[in-house]
């Protein structure tokens, strides 16, 4: 119910419950508690949740220097500084501080949850600027798989986009999203990364939007995301 009300991902909502911040009719509840949103008052930090929020979907071109978190204990700029504070939206997955490009933000908890869940294998495309050539052996290794701490990871595809001077641009497509995965993979195969940008999530390309700027998704784009995760579509969406 909390995720559906746009409070955050299911995981984030579980953490809120575990932290004792959620109450039903004034009683703090624990994980697994049941409630009827029609007849009971559900609150987070004392504030009533609305079970039918206006659904918001934003596409941000994240610049470098911003962390993908709602609050940063170290006080660094966060992606939340770049979008309106209300209605509240949450980042879908993460981009590293030094990574630029497409970041979705929404209050649609179920869609967000599915887009980041590995079982849906949503493709993410990145453009990496590397120093030197994209050596064939390194490219082969990226495709064949590399052992990292969490297991073997591989790219779905990799192709050279162009080279200028000692710089080469390559496009890497992943269907998984381990922490700093592109950076770790390129480091493992000895390709020195200078710049990294995400240019597509599932059916959604970054398109022509300046760094630091965002735009609402169109209805068709929201539908395409729903289709990509096997859902039939939101009841209502405001853009
Ligand atoms: N891979 C990375 O290394 N960083 C990101 O931000 C996303 C994917």
């Amino acid at each position: 119910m909390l995720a559906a009300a746009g409070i955050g991902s299911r995981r984030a909502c579980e953490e809120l419950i575990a932290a004792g911040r959620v109450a039903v009719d004034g009683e703090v509840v624990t994980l697994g508690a049941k409630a009827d949103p029609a007849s009971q008052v559900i609150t987070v930090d004392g504030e009533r949740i609305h079970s039918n929020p206006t659904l918001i979907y934003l596409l941000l071109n994240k610049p470098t220097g911003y962390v993908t978190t709602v609050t940063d204990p170290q006080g660094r700029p966060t992606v939340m500084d770049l979008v309106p504070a209300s209605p509240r939206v949450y980042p879908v997955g993460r981009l590293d501080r030094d990574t630029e490009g497409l970041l979705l933000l929404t209050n649609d908890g179920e869609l967000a949850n599915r887009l980041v869940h590995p079982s849906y294998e949503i493709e993410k495309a990145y453009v990496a600027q590397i120093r030197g050539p994209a050596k064939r052996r390194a490219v082969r290794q990226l495709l064949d798989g590399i052992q990292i701490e969490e297991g073997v990871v591989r790219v779905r595809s990799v192709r050279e986009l162009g080279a200028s001077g000692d710089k080469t641009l390559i496009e890497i497509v992943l269907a998984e999203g381990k922490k700093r995965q592109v950076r770790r993979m390129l480091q493992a195969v000895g390709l020195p990364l200078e710049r990294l940008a995400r240019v597509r999530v599932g059916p959604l390309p970054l398109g022509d939007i300046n760094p630091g700027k965002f735009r609402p998704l169109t209805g068709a784009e929201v539908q395409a995301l729903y289709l990509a995760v096997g859902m039939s579509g939101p009841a209502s969406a405001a853009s």
Side-chain angles (χ1 to χ4, degrees), residues 94-96 99 126 180-184 196:
R94 271 167 199 268
L95 284 181
D96 299 330
T99 303
Y126 298 86
R180 298 174 72 80
Q181 185 169 337
V182 175
R183 291 175 190 279
R184 289 159 74 196
L196 183 62

Side-chain angles (χ1 to χ4, degrees), residues 86-142:
S86 174
R88 194 85 144 123
V89 286
Y90 301 86
V92 179
R94 271 167 199 268
L95 284 181
D96 299 330
R97 186 154 70 107
D98 297 331
T99 303
E100 316 157 53
L102 200 173
L103 183 70
L104 285 171
L105 297 106
T106 183
N107 56 357
D108 185 334
E110 181 61 25
L111 179 68
N113 207 40
R114 291 190 185 208
L115 285 172
V116 298
H117 198 281
S119 65
Y120 294 97
E121 296 187 11
I122 297 298
E123 283 190 352
K124 284 142 230 141
Y126 298 86
V127 172
Q129 178 182 303
I130 57 172
R131 201 174 56 251
K135 294 181 225 110
R136 277 171 71 161
R137 184 157 174 273
V139 168
R140 191 71 261 156
Q141 281 177 292
L142 292 173

Side-chain angles (χ1 to χ4, degrees), residues 19-32:
R21 294 168 60 185
V22 178
V24 176
D25 286 343
E27 297 266 322
V28 171
V29 291
T30 52
L31 281 171

